[in-house]
Amino acid sequence: MAAVKPYWKGYLKLSLVTCPVALSPATSDTEKVRFHTMNRATGNRVASRYVDSVTGKEVDPDDQVKGYERGEGDYIILEEEELDAVALESVRTIEIDMFTPRDSIEWIWLEKPHYLLPNDKVGEDAFAVIRDAMRAENVVGISRLVFGQREHAVMLEPRGEGIVLWTLRYGDEVRPEEEYFSGIKAKPEGGLAPLMKQLIKAQTKKWVPITDPIQNRMQELIAEKKKTLKPKGKRKIEPVSKDNVVDIMAALRDSLEREKRGKSQ
């Protein structure tokens, strides 16, 4: 299996030690069966559009903004520039702010794993020094990072020759377990525990990755459907109007200008 192309590149920094790094997701759901919503009568895909909830009219992308509901039907409008202003100043550097013992961060705070690795040969030594020092001290690094249009708290954990970067849940995203478990008062009879331990021991095995049976059945169903359907002829592609080409070109030029202005600031 080929390595996934990194979707974030930047720098790992600890004090004066800096090295170029690349970040890739450690998990994938691209192999899962995905469906489109279709029109049964025509066999065509159903397109979704943003419409005004009151007028019912379609809203142009340039008029779509974020809104925070402070009361029923009462929203605070936030422009893109205002949202950008509260993000981290640097979105290209993972600067380790502190270290903490690995076992001090419980599983419930871990959100999603990513593979962090050196992005060039020159920086491999610096990367390895940071990785090996954390492993020797049995600590993980804590930092912040902006990607996917969101600021994340992250944990850096040595693993093999690389580092696993975990996005972390914030404090208000984890519900206190006491709210759910405090009402459990059951105390099993003394003779039940030894029997349960024997049962657990008999069923204890080495863990292996689990396959998704529903996905397997979906793929089998789709394969059976393919056998019964006749292949469709190629759909005629309508030529793109000149007006559309002009609009797209203008949008691309505007995007490039916005990128240049952002880099120069």
Side-chain angles (χ1 to χ4, degrees), residues 108-109 169-177:
I108 200 167
W109 299 102
R169 295 183 175 92
Y170 288 109
D172 58 356
E173 295 178 311
V174 176
R175 295 173 176 172
E177 62 186 52

Side-chain angles (χ1 to χ4, degrees), residues 144-155:
R144 292 178 180 272
L145 176 63
V146 172
F147 65 87
Q149 297 182 332
R150 182 187 171 192
E151 179 181 319
H152 300 265
V154 297
M155 180 188 85

Side-chain angles (χ1 to χ4, degrees), residues 2-251:
V4 178
K5 184 179 179 181
Y7 72 88
W8 182 92
K9 293 180 180 180
Y11 296 89
L12 175 62
K13 182 179 181 184
L14 174 57
S15 188
L16 299 179
V17 179
T18 305
C19 63
V21 291
L23 192 70
S24 294
T27 59
S28 171
D29 59 2
T30 57
E31 300 302 317
K32 290 188 179 295
V33 176
R34 297 181 180 277
F35 296 104
H36 297 290
T37 302
M38 309 293 292
N39 182 341
R40 182 186 288 108
T42 64
N44 299 328
R45 282 182 59 182
V46 175
S48 58
R49 294 184 173 88
Y50 284 99
V51 298
D52 190 294
S53 62
V54 176
T55 67
K57 294 182 179 179
E58 187 172 346
V59 181
D60 188 272
D62 289 339
D63 292 326
Q64 296 172 18
V65 295
K66 303 291 184 185
Y68 175 81
E69 188 173 14
R70 61 178 177 180
E72 188 174 351
D74 184 14
Y75 296 88
I76 298 173
I77 301 298
L78 296 170
E79 299 294 342
E80 203 67 37
E81 296 78 9
E82 294 174 305
L83 294 172
D84 290 341
V86 301
L88 288 179
E89 292 183 5
S90 173
V91 298
R92 290 298 171 193
T93 301
I94 305 170
E95 185 166 3
I96 301 178
D97 301 320
M98 61 171 283
F99 296 95
T100 189
R102 173 62 186 89
D103 58 9
S104 68
I105 301 180
E106 297 184 82
W107 63 270
I108 200 167
W109 299 102
L110 306 181
E111 187 177 40
K112 189 173 182 180
H114 303 75
Y115 292 139
L116 186 70
L117 59 153
N119 197 31
D120 65 22
K121 292 293 181 182
V122 176
E124 282 191 7
D125 285 344
F127 180 90
V129 166
I130 296 172
R131 176 202 65 203
D132 292 348
M134 287 194 294
R135 179 180 289 128
E137 296 297 322
N138 194 27
V139 297
V140 292
I142 304 298
S143 184
R144 292 178 180 272
L145 176 63
V146 172
F147 65 87
Q149 297 182 332
R150 182 187 171 192
E151 179 181 319
H152 300 265
V154 297
M155 180 188 85
L156 287 78
E157 179 180 22
R159 185 175 179 87
E161 299 302 312
I163 292 174
V164 173
L165 181 146
W166 284 90
T167 53
L168 298 174
R169 295 183 175 92
Y170 288 109
D172 58 356
E173 295 178 311
V174 176
R175 295 173 176 172
E177 62 186 52
E178 294 80 10
E179 294 181 9
Y180 300 87
F181 300 156
S182 60
I184 302 174
K185 306 297 184 183
K187 299 292 182 183
E189 296 179 10
L192 294 176
L195 291 175
M196 183 56 68
K197 289 178 182 179
Q198 290 179 32
L199 179 60
I200 290 174
K201 187 174 181 180
Q203 295 188 8
T204 299
K205 301 176 182 178
K206 183 179 179 180
W207 185 85
V208 294
I210 301 168
T211 57
D212 186 343
I214 299 297
Q215 289 294 311
N216 293 339
R217 291 171 193 162
M218 286 288 188
Q219 290 170 349
E220 291 171 3
L221 174 61
I222 291 170
E224 289 299 319
K225 282 277 189 178
K226 283 181 179 178
K227 294 178 183 178
T228 62
L229 295 175
K230 294 180 180 179
K232 280 189 174 182
K234 290 185 177 179
R235 181 178 292 182
K236 183 179 178 182
I237 300 175
E238 297 294 332
V240 178
S241 70
K242 187 176 179 181
D243 289 342
N244 284 343
V245 174
V246 172
D247 289 344
I248 294 171
M249 290 298 292

